Amino acid sequence: MKERIKSALLLLLVLCSLFLTQQLWFGRRPAEMTVENGYEPVYFEEPRPLSQMIVPEAITLYSRGQCHRLRPGETDFNLFWEKSSTMLQELAEPGYYYYAEPPPPEAERCFSLQFEPSLPLGPESIWLKGRSSGALAELEIRRLEDRCWAILKESAGDASLLLLPPGWSTELAALYDRFAPAPEQLCEELPEGELSLSRGLAVNLDAPLLVPVGVSSLKRFSLKPERLDRELLLKTFFINRNLVREIEEKDGGFIYTDGEQGLRLGRGLDYSHPRLEKTAGLDYTAALLTAGKLISYHGGWVKNLRLQMLAGGDEEKEGSGRACRAQWRSLLDGYPLLGDSGVLIYYHHGGLLSYRRNLYEPLEQPGDGVAVAEFRKVLEKAVTLLEEEGAAGPLLERMELAYYLEGEEAVPVWQIHLNGRELLLKTDELVPPEGWEP
Amino acid sequence: MNLGRAKTILIYAFLGLNLFLCYHLFGGALRESARLWVTGKEWRHIEEQLAESGYLLETRVDRAARKSAFLTVSPSAVLEKKALELYGAAVPPPQGSGAPLLYEGEGVRLCYFPGGPLQLELLPGVALAGEAADEAGTAALLERYLQEQGFAPAGLCYDRLTRSGGKTVFHYLQKDEGRLLFSGYLNAAVEGGALVELEAYLLEPETPLQEREMEVITAARALVRLVELLGPASPPRRIVKADLGFYSRKYDAERWEMPPVWRFLFDDGESCFINAFTGNLEPETSN
């Protein structure tokens, strides 16, 4: 009897050990099925290199008394920018090329690149690394036969002159000679002083100003809002996704918060982290690189998105001390899309304080062409509108073509800066676009 | 060889093997739960820490390790419908939009904020008991009245009592399948044995998703965080209740998720909510 019990117990133990071994061997969940720990670094794309973060606002070419403006996205624009950027990168020691005298008066102005935001210079940058620091606002190339000079105009107001090495002089001169302007690239350079308009109206200019005159019509664009992967987006903002709670608003928007930071998804994206600890400030190049990193992580750069403005750490952000500010705008056919569209971030060394992103993609087929009224007519209308408000003899600071977001459509507008005020007028009807308020 | 002896040796060997396998299979989970439980010694240490900072714990506290998920809720319209059914018909239609809606009738003033709390003023009030009735008696009569009128949906549980002027306010909390919802409440003010005011805000909870369950911090950890966040108290403050439930501020939204919180109720009526996932103080500390 005792032996029988022993046998049964032994059998039971053998079976039990087989079962437990099977559980231990096969019962574990494979790694891909285990719950995410929520702490993996997640981002939309790798940050862009500095060389791809900034493009000039415009490139202006001067020939035979006329000037032509190239806009971002055009083939010629890319050629001139790539060549100029490479040259500035290769001139690592600009000290060798400084030219103490002014360029000969016969040297012709060939082309210039305007930078807004400025191009960082110095050891932290990739352009003119031999410089101690600086930020380039404009690069102008002058030429006399086979010699070229580069005038470097800095944001701080200083200017320096380089006599370019023969190789670069030849390349830039050849590029310039090959350029064939298109009629719509034509601009008029308005001289400094008073500009008379009809009906006794006039505006003043305190510096020469370029105004597009070759564009007779611009296409309308139907747009669709950008769609971002919601889960991926949440993981880029919140370190532990599991701690994020969702609030569904009555208007269909969603708010996500972990108690410290908040993200609202509705018409675009709004993120805020008001209690982010303040840390050390950022210099211009570091601010630029950080801005690039932040947009790459949280949504990415989309096609035709251009960094339009970068303000260093001297801006006061409500309740968060000093912060850097960066703004991107979409370009449609090289013209900025104004209105409630674009990306605006406030940040400092410690991270992102706030982020507003509302981007649109054009539908494949552009709409009908819209007539573009001649700039003098537009100025007359703008001055009349200002006069109705009691302002006279206004100072014209800037006049450009752009697009404005009306609902989900981009309409062409004239953007005029008069006496520090911005005025938008539709290019055909010369009335403010719908939804725009001065 | 003796077969019986061989069997005995094999039994011991397999017993050892099975114990080893069990340890590998279940040891981790056992160690984890032991880690989360608060031992008596640790608990005494926490009580001492609290006392040193001026907090006296005068209630029993759940010391077990627990798991929880966010609880999705939406505003409930049950009481609003009931109040309008009872009082809305006899009064003028609501005026204006966005602002609280007011209904005034004979002996009643009803005010509700769309998506917010409902307030009911009963003038001169509904007699519940004589002025001499004790609090327990009044509470029982009040609960019966609320049930009769349909103002006490299943799940309301008595929380505390406060006094304001001549009024005694009975506070009830919403409870759903054993879970306390600190954001859902009904407060009834009784004066001179008559019910004079009602304020209520109820929520419609959804079933929490089990796969989203996570460990919550223990009451001991939450108490330590409370002291860290509030700082030392002088004169000492008494903690009279410590409960695990769900809480968030009110949102004018379709639905939202509430985190599990540890609610610590002080003797002065103030509640502090410690998020049971993060250990942070939830923004609004009192309802």
Side-chain angles (χ1 to χ4, degrees), chain A residues 107-385:
Chain A
E108 275 179 28
R109 191 162 55 153
C110 290
F111 64 92
S112 68
L113 292 84
Q114 291 86 39
F115 296 99
E116 178 57 51
S118 309
L119 198 70
L121 308 175
E124 305 299 322
S125 167
I126 53 167
W127 297 288
L128 299 182
K129 282 178 87 74
R131 292 278 297 256
S132 57
S133 63
L136 192 65
E138 189 178 341
L139 169 70
E140 188 180 303
I141 303 294
R142 295 201 176 194
R143 174 191 179 187
L144 178 64
E145 294 166 358
D146 57 350
R147 287 201 301 169
C148 282
W149 286 264
I151 303 172
L152 309 171
K153 295 177 188 168
E154 294 195 35
S155 313
D158 307 332
S160 47
L161 184 69
L162 305 180
L163 174 62
L164 298 178
W168 276 112
S169 292
T170 315
E171 276 202 48
L172 293 179
L175 185 67
Y176 174 72
D177 290 339
R178 280 202 303 272
F179 173 67
E184 63 273 10
Q185 292 169 337
L186 187 67
C187 285
E188 186 174 328
E189 190 167 21
L190 304 179
E192 191 181 332
E194 191 180 87
L195 173 72
S196 299
L197 306 167
S198 64
R199 291 188 287 144
L201 299 171
V203 289
N204 295 311
L205 288 99
D206 61 0
L209 183 72
L210 282 176
V211 180
V213 291
V215 184
S216 57
S217 80
L218 284 172
K219 290 172 212 144
R220 285 173 88 102
F221 285 93
S222 292
L223 306 169
K224 59 174 184 191
E226 174 192 42
R227 291 262 170 261
L228 290 171
D229 180 335
R230 180 175 298 197
E231 273 307 307
L232 182 59
L233 194 64
L234 285 171
K235 286 177 185 170
T236 68
F237 285 109
F238 300 98
I239 296 169
N240 189 348
R241 168 70 179 93
N242 297 330
L243 297 180
V244 179
R245 60 187 106 150
E246 183 185 86
I247 299 155
E248 186 185 339
E249 294 193 299
K250 287 181 174 168
D251 64 0
F254 285 88
I255 294 174
Y256 297 89
T257 178
D258 63 357
E260 295 278 316
Q261 336 162 53
L263 172 69
R264 187 184 187 280
L265 301 177
R267 197 179 158 89
L269 168 172
D270 287 280
Y271 166 84
S272 167
H273 191 174
R275 283 187 281 175
L276 185 68
E277 212 171 291
K278 176 83 179 92
T279 57
L282 292 167
D283 65 29
Y284 183 70
T285 313
L288 184 63
L289 287 167
T290 309
K293 216 186 306 179
L294 290 171
I295 195 170
S296 299
Y297 288 171
H298 308 292
W301 293 78
V302 291
K303 204 180 156 200
N304 296 328
L305 191 66
R306 180 182 168 270
L307 179 65
Q308 199 198 24
M309 187 271 296
L310 180 80
D314 52 357
E315 283 209 15
E316 197 74 26
K317 168 92 178 112
E318 294 167 47
S320 306
R322 296 188 182 283
C324 301
R325 179 162 59 110
Q327 187 171 23
W328 287 260
R329 282 213 181 268
S330 297
L331 297 179
L332 294 172
D333 268 355
Y335 297 100
L337 176 64
L338 309 176
D340 182 19
S341 161
V343 179
L344 176 65
I345 64 171
Y346 282 90
Y347 61 101
H348 54 52
H349 192 264
L352 200 52
L353 289 167
S354 75
Y355 182 33
R356 162 90 182 131
R357 180 180 177 117
N358 190 23
L359 294 177
Y360 291 83
E361 299 159 16
L363 296 178
E364 283 183 11
Q365 289 293 320
D368 303 331
V370 176
V372 175
E374 199 257 326
F375 83 92
R376 284 171 200 275
K377 260 190 179 174
V378 182
L379 269 180
E380 279 165 28
K381 177 75 180 178
V383 172
T384 313
L385 282 174

Side-chain angles (χ1 to χ4, degrees), chain A residues 27-48:
Chain A
R28 290 258 174 98
R29 291 202 297 171
E32 61 270 24
M33 280 180 70
T34 52
V35 180
E36 281 179 62
N37 65 17
Y39 293 101
E40 300 156 51
V42 184
Y43 48 83
F44 270 78
E45 60 183 44
E46 288 284 349
R48 283 189 175 190

